[in-house]
Amino acid sequence: MRFHRQLPVFAAFGGLAGAFLRAMQLATGFESGTGLYSSGNLWGRLLAGWLLLTAALCAVLARRGQHHACFEELFGSDSDVFKTVLAFSGLLLALGGVAWLAVELQTMQTLPEDSTSWILALEVPFGVLCVTAGLCFVGLGAALSRGEITARHALLTMPPLFWAAFHLLVVYRQYCVSANLPLFTNEIFASIACVMAFYHYARMLYGHPAPRQFAFWAALTVALSLTDVFGYVLSLAVGNLVVRWTLGSIVRGGCLLMGNAFLFAELWTIAGRKLFPWRTKYSPELEDEEPGKPEGSDKPKGMLAGIWKAKAGAKSGEAETGGAAEETAEYNAAETAEADASDDAAWEADESGWADDPEGYAGI
């Protein structure tokens, strides 16, 4: 396995291992009568320790990523797998938004009219944003596969960010009155990481790019989301009889997985770029090892190319300036020598003229 693929692979492994620990926590850590969490549960402690270790290792591995490159070079790919994952994740997210709206509108009919304000203000917009963000995934995948990003395409990065923010608000609104923290803490942190990942994804086109920040938050989102959603599914298989998600929670978890599929595809793509931060210059002799340029190119591209070109131009300018100074000095020396020779010849002519006609030079 290549070194720069370690981050997405570890994120997926960390999420699956966390899912097992989460499943055991849900199956053994909650009292059957009250549904409250039993403090000191071994599986809960192991889960907390594993997630902290996962976050630390994701931070370490993300620091080995790329710093300077344009959006298309980092996130774009013409791979059929890449285009398929982005297209299907977007379409399934849009379908999840439709399902969410259907569930919430049906819930509104069973509630008193004065208690539906939160659904209208928060949960209905969330469903609309699911559909919008899903279509943006499809549009971004098509644009990145062609390697053409315009101002219109840049706007497609904003709805996914708002979708992630509303996902966090919906989760918080559902659990804010509950004192059973271990029941929803993992989903809250997964939602926060998802917001940060899409923020840094959009930041690549708005403001100052930070690919390492995106890599860290995307990897953490994948690990936490797999832990939460797959952990619940696995808990049903190992005998969880206490914790049960509502239909809305299941749809919301599926939407979160589709957003994570998009992030994982982009994380896998950015981790595969052969552009390394410790390469300050382009060296032809390093082509066979870890070239500081994209595959299939004889020279580095993007921001790195601009930096290397500027450095090369500066060195070339210094060489040209030094050469011009030497040529000027040689020219001045030749002019001085020619002028001295002319003066000597004129003086010798004057001397010979004075010797032949001393009277003519008497008045000088």
Side-chain angles (χ1 to χ4, degrees):
M1 182 180 64
R2 290 184 292 178
F3 178 79
H4 51 283
R5 294 290 194 190
Q6 284 186 353
L7 180 58
V9 171
F10 175 75
F13 170 77
L16 294 177
F20 171 76
L21 297 176
R22 176 65 169 169
M24 297 305 298
Q25 181 197 33
L26 292 176
T28 63
F30 294 87
E31 298 179 0
S32 58
T34 61
L36 297 177
Y37 184 69
S38 302
S39 59
N41 180 265
L42 175 62
W43 295 105
R45 292 181 177 181
L46 291 176
L47 175 63
W50 174 252
L51 292 180
L52 289 175
L53 178 62
T54 300
L57 289 178
C58 284
V60 172
L61 294 176
R63 287 186 58 83
R64 305 179 185 276
Q66 172 54 248
H67 258 313
H68 307 290
C70 66
F71 187 88
E72 300 92 321
E73 289 179 348
L74 285 177
F75 295 106
S77 173
D78 58 356
S79 168
D80 292 335
V81 176
F82 172 82
K83 292 184 285 186
T84 302
V85 171
L86 264 61
F88 272 93
S89 65
L91 293 176
L92 291 176
L93 177 58
L95 183 61
V98 174
W100 173 267
L101 289 173
V103 171
E104 294 304 315
L105 292 176
Q106 184 178 6
T107 303
M108 286 180 60
Q109 298 177 359
T110 62
L111 294 176
E113 186 175 351
D114 57 351
S115 62
T116 60
S117 57
W118 276 109
I119 295 179
L120 293 174
L122 189 61
E123 298 183 1
V124 170
F126 171 70
V128 174
L129 284 171
C130 285
V131 177
T132 307
L135 296 178
C136 289
F137 287 175
V138 177
L140 284 169
L144 287 170
S145 64
R146 296 192 303 267
E148 300 174 356
I149 296 295
T150 63
R152 180 172 60 86
H153 295 131
L155 294 175
L156 297 179
T157 62
M158 300 309 296
L161 173 59
F162 291 127
W163 163 76
F166 265 78
H167 187 280
L168 174 60
L169 293 175
V170 169
V171 173
Y172 176 75
R173 188 258 168 184
Q174 180 175 352
Y175 295 113
C176 63
V177 295
S178 175
N180 211 3
L181 292 178
L183 185 63
F184 61 88
T185 302
N186 195 80
E187 187 177 0
I188 287 286
F189 281 109
S191 302
I192 294 173
C194 187
V195 173
M196 296 301 297
F198 278 107
Y199 165 74
H200 286 290
Y201 184 77
R203 183 183 177 184
M204 289 292 297
L205 293 174
Y206 297 90
H208 302 287
R212 287 181 175 181
Q213 295 287 341
F214 167 80
F216 167 72
W217 288 110
L220 190 59
T221 302
V222 170
L224 292 174
S225 299
L226 291 178
T227 297
D228 184 59
V229 180
F230 281 14
Y232 173 73
V233 175
L234 187 59
S235 73
L236 300 178
V238 297
N240 169 30
L241 301 175
V242 180
V243 179
R244 284 292 188 271
W245 283 5
T246 63
L247 180 58
S249 298
I250 294 174
V251 173
R252 191 177 64 244
C255 291
L256 183 62
L257 282 183
M258 293 306 102
N260 276 263
F262 177 89
L263 290 175
F264 185 81
E266 294 289 26
L267 178 62
W268 184 267
T269 302
I270 191 177
R273 305 290 89 157
K274 291 189 176 182
L275 299 167
F276 296 87
W278 57 82
R279 300 298 186 201
T280 57
K281 301 180 186 179
Y282 171 65
S283 302
E285 63 271 18
L286 298 175
E287 287 183 2
D288 295 332
E289 299 178 10
E290 297 170 344
K293 59 178 184 175
E295 295 180 0
S297 172
D298 293 333
K299 294 182 180 180
K301 300 180 180 178
M303 294 183 183
L304 281 176
I307 295 173
W308 291 323
K309 186 176 181 181
K311 290 183 177 180
K315 292 183 178 180
S316 176
E318 291 175 1
E320 292 178 0
T321 303
E326 293 177 1
E327 292 179 359
T328 303
E330 293 176 0
Y331 176 79
N332 291 337
E335 288 289 320
T336 302
E338 184 178 352
D340 292 342
S342 178
D343 292 342
D344 292 340
W347 179 254
E348 292 176 358
D350 289 342
E351 284 184 342
S352 62
W354 180 80
D356 295 338
D357 186 12
E359 294 181 358
Y361 285 83
I364 299 177

